[in-house]
Amino acid sequence: MSRTEVLDPEVGRTLSALSASAKRGLGDPALAELVVIRASQLNHCAFCLDMHLGIAREHGVSEKQLDLLAAWEEAEGVYDERERAALALTEAVTVLTEGFVPDAVWATAAEQFDDGQLAHLIGLVVAINNWNRVMVARRIPPGGHRP
Amino acid sequence: MTTEETVRYAPEHTPRLSWAQHAPEVYKAMLRLDTAARRGLDPRLLELVKIRASQLNHCAFCLDMHSKDALAAGESVERIIQLGAWEESKHFYTEKEAAALELTDAVTVLTDGFVPDEVYDHAAKHFEEAELAQLIAAITVINAWNRFGVTCRMVPGHYEAGKHQ
């Protein structure tokens, strides 16, 4: 049985509005793409990876940063402190079923981001987790996104 | 134990961040998304789905809210309690509800794998296409609220039924 391609238009619009407002509030498009790609790796969203790897390159994210993202913790010198704090928070917020968001992860993020940035960063992680879910659940194939 | 004895509970934690105040546009978008995703779904089923996802994601604030809302809407205590082990208490639920709970589990725990074909197909047998799309959206939305709630350590216990409906 094939899966549905249906997504209610208003649901689609509001998912987009959520992503856009979070990204705008974070104010760092390159970092936003790293966050979004890392969450999509964890959630195994092929559509989202394809789409956001393309957007990341348009924003000038380096090939090295994209190549090593799945092992960012072990990639010394590739990501700065702010990026590392954001990636650690992204992972914790994405993998909720295995525990909570650790205090240490939160504290590190709170050192690098002010409250407004932090709220939007969380919003961005939530927003890509939304897209990952609606795409993976319906098995939407990669390659459908046209910039 | 006497009735005079006072039980001392652990102190209440404080939330980490009032995210909605710091990101009002994000909060507004979440409210609109929530409204859009619940259209066409049975409200009783929706609360079961919300409670089940909140259990998996350990969102205390969301469990407090949705258990209270479910009870206020006439849901039984037994059906709420058994959600934690719904696979072993399927006779508390209709087959349609059980299919929705199965899909809720699969869509919520994405990091362990994909959404299995048999789970999807089972849901597709009980929900027509547009309703199934809304169910997927609704599961997604409670996952979103769970993420805000857990990450910001929103405090459970103060919700009054119907406040956010």
Side-chain angles (χ1 to χ4, degrees):
Chain A
M1 200 187 299
S2 68
R3 298 196 186 182
T4 186
E5 290 178 19
V6 173
L7 183 67
D8 178 82
E10 179 62 11
V11 170
R13 273 192 294 275
T14 50
L15 282 171
S16 296
L18 177 64
S19 293
S21 61
K23 199 174 162 179
R24 200 164 47 237
L26 181 62
D28 187 340
L31 176 67
E33 293 309 316
L34 288 179
V35 161
V36 162
I37 293 166
R38 184 62 192 130
S40 301
Q41 288 174 338
L42 292 171
N43 286 324
H44 318 289
C45 183
F47 178 93
C48 310
L49 284 170
D50 181 62
M51 172 174 170
H52 286 284
L53 283 163
I55 296 174
R57 291 188 177 98
E58 287 167 21
H59 284 303
V61 179
S62 75
E63 288 300 318
K64 189 158 197 174
Q65 282 203 324
L66 296 178
D67 288 344
L68 292 176
L69 192 53
W72 65 269
E73 281 178 288
E74 297 299 318
E76 208 179 318
V78 179
Y79 310 94
D80 65 24
E81 294 285 304
R82 194 164 184 267
E83 290 164 339
R84 296 177 77 87
L87 290 170
L89 187 66
T90 300
E91 293 189 350
V93 175
T94 299
V95 195
L96 276 198
T97 49
E98 287 171 27
F100 298 94
V101 175
D103 284 338
V105 170
W106 178 264
T108 306
E111 273 167 28
Q112 296 291 333
F113 297 91
D114 67 29
D115 285 354
Q117 292 165 335
L118 209 44
H120 288 91
L121 175 60
I122 297 163
L124 185 66
V125 180
V126 168
I128 188 59
N129 263 275
N130 283 342
W131 287 115
N132 292 163
R133 282 184 168 72
V134 296
M135 295 303 173
V136 170
R138 296 178 302 143
R139 295 191 76 184
I140 304 299
H145 173 74
R146 297 282 172 269
Chain B
M1 199 196 277
T2 69
T3 48
E4 314 247 317
E5 199 173 331
T6 320
V7 181
R8 279 173 187 265
Y9 292 108
E12 190 175 298
H13 69 259
T14 48
R16 284 172 171 159
L17 180 72
S18 303
W19 69 273
Q21 284 174 29
H22 290 287
E25 294 302 317
V26 172
Y27 182 60
K28 264 183 247 164
M30 275 299 302
L31 292 179
R32 281 176 50 214
L33 173 61
D34 190 282
T35 304
R38 68 171 65 221
R39 279 190 316 188
L41 287 177
D42 170 10
R44 204 169 174 206
L45 172 76
L46 186 64
E47 289 302 332
L48 293 178
V49 163
K50 288 188 172 226
I51 294 168
R52 179 62 188 145
S54 302
Q55 288 176 340
L56 292 170
N57 287 323
H58 317 290
C59 182
F61 180 88
C62 311
L63 284 171
D64 183 50
M65 173 188 290
H66 293 295
S67 303
K68 284 173 179 168
D69 279 345
L71 285 169
E75 188 52 88
S76 77
V77 171
E78 288 81 5
R79 274 163 46 98
I80 294 173
I81 290 172
Q82 290 300 323
L83 277 173
W86 68 267
E87 284 172 293
E88 294 301 317
S89 54
K90 283 190 184 153
H91 57 292
F92 284 72
Y93 309 99
T94 66
E95 294 205 9
K96 186 174 180 174
E97 286 168 341
L101 292 172
E102 194 178 19
L103 188 66
T104 301
D105 285 11
V107 174
T108 298
V109 196
L110 274 198
T111 48
D112 286 350
F114 300 94
V115 176
D117 283 339
E118 54 270 29
V119 171
Y120 184 90
D121 293 350
H122 191 206
K125 266 186 210 146
H126 291 279
F127 290 82
E128 55 88 17
E129 196 172 9
E131 194 183 15
L132 182 59
Q134 285 300 86
L135 177 60
I136 293 167
I139 297 167
T140 299
V141 172
I142 185 59
N143 263 275
W145 290 118
N146 290 166
R147 284 187 162 70
F148 283 115
V150 171
T151 306
C152 298
R153 292 193 80 190
M154 290 169 66
V155 181
H158 304 290
Y159 181 74
E160 288 163 32
K163 208 160 84 179
H164 279 182
Q165 280 190 328

